[in-house]
Amino acid sequence: MRKCLLLLFFCFTQLISNAQIDSLRYKFIAPIDSVLNYVGRFDFSNNKQVRYDWSGTQIRFRFTGKSLAFHLNGGERNFFNVFIDDLPAQVISSTKDSVIWVAKKLKKKEHTCILYKRTEGGMGQTIFSGVYIDKKAKVFPWSNIPLRRIEFIGNSITCGYGTEGKDRHERFKPETENNFKSYASIVARAFNADFCILAHSGLGVVRNYGDTAKVSTKITPMPGRIEQALDTDPVLRWDVTKDRPQALVINLGTNDFSTHPYPDKLVFKDAYTELIKKLRTFYGEIPIFCLAGPILDEPCYSYVKEMVEDNKVLNKDGNLYFVGIPTALIDGELDLGSDQHPNYSGQKKMAAQIVPVIATVLKWDYDDSELRKQ
């Protein structure tokens, strides 16, 4: 029933998106307008179109009036959450360049809106071309922008791969990937922090999932992408001095050791250490939390822990922390979604392991209400 309702909603939005915009009734807000608040990495080189693809990227603003639409081209595999006034998300897609109406009968008052990218860069780039509101309505900048900021670097688990899958036997579909339900997004909400997610399914520190070699060369592993503005554009660089985080969370290694042949221990640890060194040149001595688990245990668990301990001694890095998430934390029937990846329940359990560690190190308060929800 739920899938039928979603299908009807998608058909409805696509149908009305083709209607001609009446300039006498609606006002256009350009994508480069300063009232729009962007969270994450975007390409602003074209003042008529903003490109983006990383998981969890957000466009936020406040507005008045009864109507709201997005001019969007997300391709066939991208999906988005739309939050208006903090109500449960509408899920939209835009398979071609379209105007998608997400509201027509709102009350005449000030509203909040967040357009949240559920899916990862592997699903393709998104082109955002602006917003439509009622002719006499107004748009205002986002208020109460969080002072805290966390950056996450990871793989499919961080992307939220399969968080809405019905069980661990279901094969992955883009519709079941919802980054809003990933541990990264949950952790950020617990701390009321903005965040940036750099994650791509199947990528490791030196070896990607299923590679027949010990070190991947055909597809760039995750450390090679951390300076990119877009996951799918290896050329466009991001200014790492912008929006510096106060904490970094890395969850890599699962794909390195998920299939044989495993990378050599020293090669893996050295590459991970080089990643840490590069991040230190970007962000200085901020706390970096290196996670291991919960899908795999050994040898990844021990290698990451050893790497952290080695750096504390040899490189005198006192702001590097290991957070082990045991496989026993996850119930194989209740906590797994598509392709045996953690579902929302499993992701909340992960977040509940991570949040107290970050809170202790940074001396941040947090709200654990989402973590405790069944």
Side-chain angles (χ1 to χ4, degrees), residues 15-201:
L15 207 80
I16 60 177
S17 69
N18 295 324
Q20 185 175 1
I21 303 299
D22 185 350
S23 61
L24 296 177
R25 293 182 60 193
Y26 302 108
K27 178 192 300 184
F28 176 67
I29 309 299
I32 59 167
D33 196 303
S34 60
V35 296
L36 301 178
N37 176 233
Y38 291 88
V39 183
R41 294 186 178 185
F42 296 80
D43 171 22
F44 297 101
S45 59
N46 183 337
N47 61 13
K48 293 185 178 179
Q49 295 179 333
V50 173
R51 290 192 305 153
Y52 63 106
D53 60 7
W54 292 109
S55 304
T57 40
Q58 302 171 60
I59 302 171
R60 307 184 296 201
F61 54 93
R62 298 177 295 142
F63 69 103
T64 61
K66 299 165 57 178
S67 308
L68 176 66
F70 296 106
H71 188 172
L72 198 65
N73 184 354
E76 295 184 355
R77 304 186 73 197
N78 274 313
F79 292 84
F80 308 83
N81 292 333
V82 179
F83 298 95
I84 297 178
D85 298 334
D86 296 323
L87 293 174
Q90 297 180 39
V91 180
I92 65 170
S93 67
S94 177
T95 59
K96 57 184 179 181
D97 188 33
S98 306
V99 175
I100 308 296
W101 290 97
V102 295
K104 281 281 193 175
K105 296 180 180 179
L106 296 174
K107 293 182 179 179
K108 289 186 177 181
K109 64 172 189 174
E110 184 179 298
H111 305 280
T112 61
C113 180
I114 300 174
L115 178 64
Y116 187 110
K117 190 170 186 293
R118 292 164 56 103
T119 40
E120 62 186 280
M123 301 301 111
Q125 293 181 11
T126 294
I127 298 175
F128 171 69
S129 300
V131 174
Y132 286 94
I133 59 173
D134 292 334
K135 190 69 174 180
K136 295 183 179 181
K138 296 181 179 180
V139 176
F140 307 99
W142 193 255
S143 59
N144 299 321
I145 294 177
L147 298 176
R148 298 169 176 175
R149 183 175 174 83
I150 307 172
E151 185 164 290
F152 297 87
I153 299 174
N155 48 39
S156 55
I157 302 172
T158 307
C159 290
Y161 180 109
T163 50
E164 294 187 350
K166 64 180 181 180
D167 56 47
R168 62 193 175 99
H169 304 292
E170 182 181 66
R171 297 309 306 270
F172 173 78
K173 296 176 289 187
E175 299 95 310
T176 65
E177 184 170 66
N178 185 359
N179 178 263
F180 189 80
K181 294 182 177 179
S182 79
Y183 76 88
S185 188
I186 298 166
V187 167
R189 286 195 293 277
F191 289 116
N192 187 29
D194 271 345
F195 60 94
C196 174
I197 292 177
L198 309 176
H200 187 114
S201 292

Side-chain angles (χ1 to χ4, degrees), residues 340-358:
Q340 302 192 65
H341 282 67
N343 59 18
Y344 185 37
S345 172
Q347 296 273 1
K348 283 191 291 184
K349 285 184 176 181
M350 290 180 62
Q353 295 275 305
I354 301 163
V355 165
V357 179
I358 296 177

Side-chain angles (χ1 to χ4, degrees), residues 282-303:
F282 296 163
Y283 304 133
E285 298 304 310
I286 66 171
I288 298 178
F289 302 89
C290 300
L291 314 184
I295 291 180
L296 286 186
D297 194 338
E298 299 296 352
C300 180
Y301 197 98
S302 293
Y303 290 0

Side-chain angles (χ1 to χ4, degrees), residues 264-326:
D264 295 334
K265 177 180 179 179
L266 188 59
V267 171
F268 175 80
K269 288 174 59 179
D270 284 351
Y272 208 137
T273 295
E274 287 304 310
L275 171 61
I276 299 297
K277 288 180 179 178
K278 179 180 283 191
L279 293 168
R280 287 281 180 233
T281 65
F282 296 163
Y283 304 133
E285 298 304 310
I286 66 171
I288 298 178
F289 302 89
C290 300
L291 314 184
I295 291 180
L296 286 186
D297 194 338
E298 299 296 352
C300 180
Y301 197 98
S302 293
Y303 290 0
V304 175
K305 190 174 189 295
E306 284 181 29
M307 182 276 303
V308 169
E309 296 303 321
D310 288 350
N311 275 276
K312 285 182 176 181
V313 176
L314 300 176
N315 297 324
K316 294 181 170 49
D317 192 336
N319 238 355
L320 193 62
Y321 303 89
F322 173 74
V323 183
I325 305 175

